[in-house]
Structures are given as C-alpha cells and as structure tokens.
C-alpha cells in the first residue's frame, strides 16, 4: 500500500511539469574480499577465515524537485545485502528532512526475483554546526518457510559536527540477510559497524577526502532444526575515499578500505598473516545544476 502511494506521488509530480534541479548521478564499481563465501553450507568451525572475492556496484541518482521536495533512486550490490533497488521522496521542513520509499531485493534468488520492502529516514542538519540521521529499511512479506525466500534489513544512526574544514560523523550501522536454504535450515549474514568518519575539505580546492576508522563484526550463522552454529570475524579497519573535481559537471572518486587487525571469535581463526583483506572502488559523479 505504501509503495502504491509512492508511485502515485511520482505520477502527480511528473504530470505537474516540475523542474528537477541540483541533480547528482553517482556510478561506481569495485572489488573486495572481506566476506564469507556465500556457497558455504557448513560452519568453518576451528578452521581459518578464508576471504571470498565479490564485486560491488552502485548507481545513485538524487535531485531536488523544489525547495521542499527531493527524490532519490538507487541500485546497489554488496556481499552482505546482495542486490537491492530503492527510491525515496523527501520532504524538508526547516532543518528537518523526512524520506520514505520502496526498498526491494532484486534477482537474489531464482525462486524470488523481487522481494518488496520499505525504507524510511529522518535527518536533522544545521549547516556548519550539527548533523544527525536515523535510517531503516527492510523487505516485508517474505516468510522463511520456502527454500529461496529471504529477508533483508539495514539500519543506521549517525551524529556529526562541523569543525574547521571538516565534518566529523560517528555512526552505528547494522545489516542482515537471512535466506531459507532448505526446508529445515536458514543461513544468515550480519554486519555491525561502529565508525568515525572525517570528511576533509578546503575552500577553492578541487578535492575532498573522507577518512574512516572503525570496528566491524562480520558474522555468518547456520540455523538447523537441531540448533545453530556461527562463524564470526572481527576487525579494526581504516579507509579513505577521495573525490576529485575535473569540471563543475564531472568528478572522479576512488576509495580503499582494509582491516589493520582481524581476529576470529573462538573457535574460528583469523585469516593468514599473508592474506590482505580489502574493499576498493572507483567511479564518477555527474552534477547537473
């Protein structure tokens, strides 16, 4: 029902002949290996964590319809939530912004091509002083009683302050993906992150740099009729992303993240000292006035 309201709003906006301005299109892709192999059917137990290579993809389109209304459309692929497609309509009221729209898993299972859901967010931003946000998204209606069915969910809380030439944001983020693998078993991937990110910028400089440091828990749980077992890898990580302005319409971005120390929760052993875990991406950002 809420998705129907979202579609009706979009149709009304299109029919009213509105003008979109401040349009940003971000396209990026990448590769990483800090993930459990999705093909594993049993826990690693006392074995060592073995990295699994995965592709990343992101297409993000965001713009303003007016001073009060914004919109966003987004497709993303990552090793935790897999493929998802969504969009929001946002309403501004002073320093507060509310966003709501559909959130869908797409082509993650041969038995369920589209898994519908909903997302919502509230943001408070006082430019130059304070930033706060709370977001949540989840698929709905897919019961875990048929092999191939799955549930996706994510949530984040963030608080930030502006300091000279930088924005510092502390955030807590959780993401989960649970799939029915057989009539009597489920498999769940979960990621929890505590992160401090500092975006550094300078007036009249053609670049910005985002530096992150944080703690992450990556957990794979196998649920059977007789009980459950889990593998968990914990990491302290750091990373960066640079955005370089080529022209007012075009920016190039690149980023890399890597754990500085990882360890397995007993009985799982951490990765070999010769193994480098990483997550890298590159892309472009088009900005249209």
């Amino acid at each position: 029902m809420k998705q129907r309201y979202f579609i009706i709003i979009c149709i009304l906006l299109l029919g009213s002949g509105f003008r979109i301005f401040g349009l940003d299109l971000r396209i990026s892709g990448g590769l990483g290996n800090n993930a459990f192999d999705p093909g594993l059917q049993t826990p690693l137990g006392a074995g060592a964590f073995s990295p699994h290579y995965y592709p990343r993809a992101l297409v993000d389109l965001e713009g303003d319809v007016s001073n009060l209304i914004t919109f966003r459309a987004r497709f993303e692929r990552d090793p935790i939530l897999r493929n998802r497609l969504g969009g929001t309509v946002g309403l501004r009221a002073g320093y507060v912004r509310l966003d709501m729209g559909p959130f869908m898993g797409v082509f993650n299972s041969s038995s369920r091509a589209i898994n519908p859901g909903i997302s919502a967010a509230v943001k408070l931003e006082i430019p130059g002083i304070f930033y706060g946000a709370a977001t949540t998204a989840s698929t709905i209606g897919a019961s875990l009683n048929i092999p191939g069915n799955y549930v996706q969910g994510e949530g984040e809380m963030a608080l930030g302050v502006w300091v000279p030439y930088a924005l510092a944001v502390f955030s807590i983020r959780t993401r989960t993906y649970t799939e029915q693998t057989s009539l009597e078993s489920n498999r769940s991937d979960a990621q929890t992150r505590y992160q401090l990110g500092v975006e550094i910028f300078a007036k009249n400089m053609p670049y910005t740099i985002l530096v992150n440091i944080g703690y992450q828990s990556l957990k794979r749980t196998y649920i059977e009729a007789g009980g459950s077992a889990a593998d968990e890898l914990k990491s302290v990580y750091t990373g960066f992303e640079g955005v370089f302005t080529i022209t007012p319409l075009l920016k190039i971005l690149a980023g890399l993240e890597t754990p500085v120390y990882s360890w397995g929760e007993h009985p799982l052993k951490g990765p070999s000292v010769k193994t480098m875990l990483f997550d890298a991406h590159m892309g472009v950002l088009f900005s249209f006035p």
Side-chain angles (χ1 to χ4, degrees):
M1 183 63 70
K2 293 180 179 179
Q3 293 181 27
R4 184 181 302 173
Y5 291 153
F6 173 78
I7 294 173
I8 292 173
I9 291 173
C10 292
I11 293 174
L12 291 174
L13 290 173
L14 288 169
S16 65
F18 70 91
R19 177 180 179 269
I20 299 174
F21 58 94
L23 187 66
D24 291 328
L25 173 61
R26 174 171 175 155
I27 303 173
S28 65
L31 181 69
N33 66 353
N34 193 5
F36 288 103
D37 186 345
L40 287 175
Q41 300 299 320
T42 58
L44 293 170
F49 173 81
S50 179
H52 171 73
Y53 287 89
Y54 56 83
R56 277 189 175 275
L58 173 65
V59 179
D60 190 10
L61 179 66
E62 186 173 14
D64 296 331
V65 177
S66 69
N67 291 330
L68 300 178
I69 302 175
T70 66
F71 81 96
R72 188 174 194 177
R74 183 183 182 96
F75 169 81
E76 188 169 6
R77 174 182 174 81
D78 68 62
I80 304 298
L81 293 183
R82 281 65 162 181
N83 301 322
R84 59 210 187 269
L85 178 67
T88 59
V89 171
L91 299 177
R92 293 194 187 101
Y95 298 127
V96 179
R97 172 174 158 177
L98 301 175
D99 298 294
M100 181 171 288
F103 172 87
M104 297 177 290
V106 290
F107 306 117
N108 292 310
S109 170
S110 58
S111 63
R112 195 172 184 87
I114 298 177
N115 198 18
I118 192 168
S119 66
V122 58
K123 300 177 182 178
L124 172 63
E125 183 173 0
I126 303 176
I129 300 176
F130 177 80
Y131 170 85
T135 64
T136 183
S138 178
T139 52
I140 55 178
S143 57
L144 294 177
N145 55 11
I146 300 175
N149 278 6
Y150 62 93
V151 176
Q152 298 161 289
E154 64 177 332
E156 183 176 20
M157 295 186 66
L159 295 174
V161 294
W162 268 270
V163 295
Y165 304 110
L167 170 63
V169 178
F170 176 76
S171 63
I172 302 173
R173 186 182 189 188
T174 62
R175 298 189 294 166
T176 59
Y177 181 99
T178 303
E179 181 179 0
Q180 184 86 20
T181 54
S182 71
L183 290 175
E184 298 183 346
S185 62
N186 297 337
R187 185 177 59 204
S188 177
D189 283 330
Q191 182 191 64
T192 302
R193 297 191 126 200
Y194 300 85
Q195 177 175 288
L196 175 64
V198 180
E199 184 178 6
I200 304 169
F201 51 85
K203 189 175 181 179
N204 299 323
M205 297 300 291
Y207 61 86
T208 61
I209 298 175
L210 174 63
V211 179
N212 298 324
I213 185 170
Y215 162 80
Q216 171 181 284
S217 168
L218 185 65
K219 190 173 185 179
R220 164 72 62 79
T221 304
Y222 302 84
I223 305 171
E224 306 287 345
S228 65
D231 296 322
E232 185 174 6
L233 181 71
K234 298 179 178 180
S235 303
V236 175
Y237 66 89
T238 185
F240 77 94
E241 180 184 74
V243 180
F244 307 91
T245 301
I246 306 302
T247 72
L249 296 179
L250 174 63
K251 298 177 182 178
I252 303 295
L253 58 95
L256 174 67
E257 179 183 290
T258 183
V260 294
Y261 180 67
S262 296
W263 68 99
E265 184 71 11
H266 183 78
L268 180 69
K269 297 180 176 66
S272 165
V273 293
K274 297 180 180 180
T275 300
M276 177 182 177
L277 301 179
F278 71 94
D279 191 326
H281 66 275
M282 294 185 65
V284 293
L285 177 63
F286 299 98
S287 299
F288 305 98

